[in-house]
Amino acid sequence: MKKLLTLLFGLIPINIIKIFLLRTLGHAISYNSYIGFGILATKNIELKKHSKIKHFNFIKVESLILEESGFIGSFNILNGPLTIFLEKHAGISKQNKIRRSKAPISYGKAELHLGENAIIVSNHFLDLTKSVSLGNNSILAGIGSQLWTHGYYHADFGKERIRIDGEIHIGNNVYIGSGCIFNPGVNVANAIHIGAGSVISKNLELSGMYVGQGLRYIENDLGIIQSKLKKVEGFNLVEQVYTK
């Protein structure tokens, strides 16, 4: 019922009335914040002063937290059982898709966490099967980058395959150019610049500039891959899942 009422109140065009009604549902929303016209079906909303959600977003998540001057632009799709947490002056610009599947495909909790002044610009895709974080002053720039927190590994023959999940953590003062692809389970240290079109398949630990590289051959052996990973158990999942 709370989600349904939140959705209905979120469609009210007058901001101060909208905020008043949402506050009656228990949402912690500052009267100095702004919520535009859009779909807002969320259990918990916390908006600090000067935070903004602009028009024409589809936001259906468990929890949405915007610290002071945090912002969400227009035409974003934020969908799934996850938490969105934006620290001061952090923002998600426009036309981004951030999604997470429900159980029994996903399990546990997942959060998108942007540090102070961190920005996701436009037209990016983030898979939140597991959590993703961007540190202070970091930017997912340009367009068309993809952050994947799950992937698959197939046996050489037959239908056997496993899913590999892993959180993505990006440090402070990191710049990510257009069209980059992040594989599950990678960590990026502080003060790193990643050139456009790069594929990030392993941890980046030294500060500096990284650019894309050519393909390299890796021998395919499912048994060896499984032995290096931890199997996820106890969630009644629809497939075999491993974590890095």
Side-chain angles (χ1 to χ4, degrees):
M1 180 59 74
K2 183 177 179 180
K3 269 191 174 183
L4 177 59
L5 290 174
T6 298
L7 188 154
L8 293 174
F9 293 165
L11 296 174
I12 294 172
I14 302 173
N15 190 59
I16 193 167
I17 296 175
K18 179 187 306 185
I19 290 174
F20 172 79
L21 292 173
L22 289 171
R23 285 166 65 103
T24 66
L25 297 177
H27 298 298
I29 302 175
S30 168
Y31 280 113
N32 291 321
S33 64
Y34 176 80
I35 304 173
F37 181 83
I39 301 299
L40 190 61
T42 301
K43 287 182 179 179
N44 175 62
I45 304 171
E46 298 178 31
L47 302 181
K48 299 294 177 66
K49 62 182 181 179
H50 308 308
S51 59
K52 293 182 180 180
I53 301 173
K54 294 188 177 181
H55 297 300
F56 308 122
N57 291 292
F58 180 92
I59 303 176
K60 186 181 179 183
V61 298
E62 293 295 309
S63 186
L64 179 66
I65 304 168
L66 275 61
E67 295 288 346
E68 182 178 343
S69 298
F71 69 90
I72 296 175
S74 300
F75 298 105
N76 295 288
I77 298 174
L78 316 178
N79 186 28
L82 61 105
T83 293
I84 306 289
F85 181 24
L86 309 184
E87 295 192 30
K88 291 181 179 180
H89 303 282
I92 298 169
S93 184
K94 59 184 179 179
Q95 295 179 305
N96 296 288
K97 185 176 182 180
I98 299 167
R99 61 100 169 134
R100 186 177 194 237
S101 297
K102 298 178 180 179
I105 297 174
S106 64
Y107 59 95
K109 296 182 179 180
E111 176 180 281
L112 173 64
H113 187 152
L114 302 188
E116 290 190 18
N117 304 306
I119 304 292
I120 295 173
V121 185
S122 302
N123 197 26
H124 300 296
F125 175 83
L126 281 71
D127 159 47
L128 263 288
T129 299
K130 302 294 287 182
S131 294
V132 173
S133 65
L134 274 74
N136 299 339
N137 310 309
S138 292
I139 181 168
L140 184 58
I143 62 172
S145 288
Q146 302 174 35
L147 278 66
W148 290 95
T149 58
H150 84 284
Y152 287 92
Y153 207 95
H154 288 251
D156 288 349
F157 303 98
K159 63 180 183 180
E160 184 180 6
R161 69 177 187 181
I162 64 171
R163 195 179 86 204
I164 303 173
D165 295 350
E167 297 182 354
I168 294 174
H169 296 291
I170 297 167
N172 300 328
N173 296 86
V174 173
Y175 174 88
I176 302 164
S178 290
C180 291
I181 298 176
F182 284 72
N183 287 345
V186 297
N187 295 310
V188 176
N190 298 333
I192 283 177
H193 288 68
I194 301 175
S198 298
V199 177
I200 300 86
S201 58
K202 59 183 179 180
N203 293 343
L204 306 183
E205 299 174 346
L206 298 176
S207 298
M209 174 73 76
Y210 292 80
V211 296
Q213 60 181 11
L215 293 174
R216 59 193 177 95
Y217 174 77
I218 301 175
E219 186 175 358
N220 183 31
D221 189 318
L222 183 61
I224 292 175
I225 295 296
Q226 287 174 300
S227 69
K228 295 179 179 179
L229 303 169
K230 181 180 179 181
K231 189 172 184 179
V232 175
E233 297 180 307
F235 289 95
N236 195 30
L237 299 171
V238 297
E239 57 194 343
Q240 293 187 73
V241 178
Y242 290 75
T243 59
K244 288 186 175 181

